[in-house]
Amino acid sequence: MLNSSVAQAQRPDAPPSDNARPIDLAIVGPMVGTSFYVGMQFIAGVNAAISTLTDGTLLGRPVRIKEYDDRCRQAIAEKLSLEIVQQPPHVIIGHSCSATTIAAAPVYAAHDILQITPSSTAPAVTEMGISSIFRMIGRDDAQGQMAADWLATHHSGEKLGFFRSFNDYSMGLTNSAIAELSNHGIEPTLVVQSAASATSYLNEIMQFMAADIDVVYLVGGALDSGVFVRQARQVAAPFNIISSDTLVSSIFMETAGAAADGIPFTSPADVTRLADEDLNGSAVAAIKSLGFDAEGYTLLAYAATEVWLEGVRRAQSLQAEAVANAIRAEPLNTVLGTISFEANGDISTPYPAFSWFNWQAGQRVPLD
């Protein structure tokens, strides 16, 4: 007769030991559609960071990665979050769009799931009173201030136009910029709002031209911005354009074509230039080994994973609040350099969260 411990080990329905149970990490973002590149960059960054684990384990347990598509749509994110928590992962790396992050975050928090977003910039993300959410990117009020300062400095005395879409990101960022402009004693001449994903923005472009606008602050999705810029150049619109972090997308470049060159836009800082080479050298190599460039949201997703891994190691726990407290306890060395987090989950870096860039012959070139 087998002893009970051996018999238990041989039963096919016996529960696995703690060390055999995988730790689940969920990546949530747009995996198809016009913003799919963000989801792909998330996947590359997370997988590259996990590849650095000794024996592929954390706390002696294997880490399993699952991927979920929210298409950057709030309604889909709300439904998806309820599905995810039926078999809750230990951490969410995502969402991407601010609206989807805001929709899903309360669901994850109610189920004791830590959440780190690499790319959601709306201030509301960290103003919901959730203690287990963090972001690896600056806020839109910082981006809005930069846009306002640029306009006041480089376009003083000119007629200013704003173009935005009906979504949290576009409305929030332009509202921040308009509020900051008022501190300079400046008001926009014309604010034009349009539905996202239109096939043409010629009517809106003509409105700016009719108002003799000198410069347009363009805040929309990557595809929408690409269409707007291309069509503005096709009709020889005389106004200048500045924009925001969505212009870092390859979708914008592919859509705008040669018209993309020379348009200033704010984007997360180029950490491959700013951070310690010893900290990001191995990360860059790991990301490139997966066939991706080490830039943009790829590095931010990598850093988000680093933050979670170190929080778990410090806490020696997977419980969300314990890991969150450990993350806040002291600075962390990451691919972004040495970073820390405010009490609400906002990131603090030794350099500005955003910098100015433009595109030149397909290359993102810093302006500052």
Side-chain angles (χ1 to χ4, degrees), residues 17-35:
S17 67
D18 283 344
N19 285 346
R21 289 194 181 102
I23 296 172
D24 286 328
L25 180 157
I27 305 171
V28 190
M31 305 300 176
V32 298
T34 58
S35 296

Side-chain angles (χ1 to χ4, degrees), residues 299-343:
L299 286 169
L300 296 177
Y302 187 104
T305 310
E306 286 184 303
V307 166
W308 172 67
L309 292 173
E310 179 59 21
V312 171
R313 292 187 188 106
R314 289 178 180 180
Q316 287 295 292
S317 170
L318 293 165
Q319 195 271 328
E321 201 62 31
V323 176
N325 290 336
I327 288 171
R328 290 190 185 89
E330 57 185 280
L332 304 100
N333 292 326
T334 73
V335 69
L336 305 183
T338 302
I339 65 171
S340 57
F341 290 93
E342 306 293 339

Side-chain angles (χ1 to χ4, degrees), residues 19-222:
N19 285 346
R21 289 194 181 102
I23 296 172
D24 286 328
L25 180 157
I27 305 171
V28 190
M31 305 300 176
V32 298
T34 58
S35 296
F36 80 95
Y37 78 99
V38 177
M40 297 301 101
Q41 288 191 331
F42 280 13
I43 291 170
V46 170
N47 278 277
I50 292 299
S51 73
T52 66
L53 289 174
T54 302
D55 299 325
T57 63
L58 177 65
L59 301 184
R61 295 165 59 181
V63 178
R64 179 170 58 188
I65 300 172
K66 298 182 178 180
E67 302 160 8
Y68 298 90
D69 175 29
D70 69 2
R71 303 191 184 188
C72 267
R73 295 182 183 176
Q74 182 174 342
I76 293 176
E78 290 173 348
K79 180 179 179 181
L80 181 62
S81 65
L82 294 172
E83 293 174 0
I84 289 173
V85 299
Q86 297 308 304
Q87 293 183 308
H90 298 91
V91 64
I92 301 283
I93 303 297
H95 296 220
S96 168
C97 297
S98 294
T100 55
T101 296
I102 292 167
V107 178
Y108 301 141
H111 288 81
D112 192 35
I113 303 171
L114 191 83
Q115 182 179 8
I116 308 177
T117 170
S119 60
S120 294
T121 52
V125 167
T126 49
E127 293 177 355
M128 293 184 286
I130 294 174
S131 60
S132 55
I133 190 169
F134 298 86
R135 73 165 119 218
M136 306 304 301
I137 192 170
R139 294 162 50 119
D140 280 337
D141 40 9
Q143 249 191 131
Q145 180 174 349
M146 289 181 68
D149 291 346
W150 181 280
L151 291 168
T153 301
H154 297 278
H155 299 280
S156 177
E158 298 182 6
K159 290 185 176 181
L160 309 182
F162 279 65
F163 178 84
R164 63 190 185 184
S165 302
F166 294 101
N167 58 56
D168 289 350
Y169 165 75
S170 189
M171 299 291 286
L173 179 47
T174 52
N175 285 342
S176 292
I178 291 169
E180 291 293 337
L181 271 175
S182 67
N183 295 329
H184 293 278
I186 300 171
E187 297 294 331
T189 301
L190 179 64
V191 177
V192 174
Q193 299 178 176
S194 178
S197 302
T199 57
S200 174
Y201 293 105
L202 284 175
N203 287 338
E204 291 81 2
I205 291 167
M206 293 303 175
Q207 289 182 57
F208 289 122
M209 294 174 67
D212 293 324
I213 297 299
D214 296 299
V215 58
V216 172
Y217 183 38
L218 170 65
V219 183

Side-chain angles (χ1 to χ4, degrees), residues 216-238:
V216 172
Y217 183 38
L218 170 65
V219 183
L223 178 62
D224 301 331
S225 298
V227 171
F228 184 97
V229 167
R230 187 187 70 240
Q231 291 184 327
R233 295 300 178 253
Q234 286 172 342
V235 299

Side-chain angles (χ1 to χ4, degrees), residues 278-304:
D278 291 339
L279 290 174
N280 64 35
S282 60
V284 169
I287 291 167
K288 287 186 174 180
S289 73
L290 298 175
F292 282 78
D293 290 329
E295 62 181 14
Y297 302 123
T298 309
L299 286 169
L300 296 177
Y302 187 104

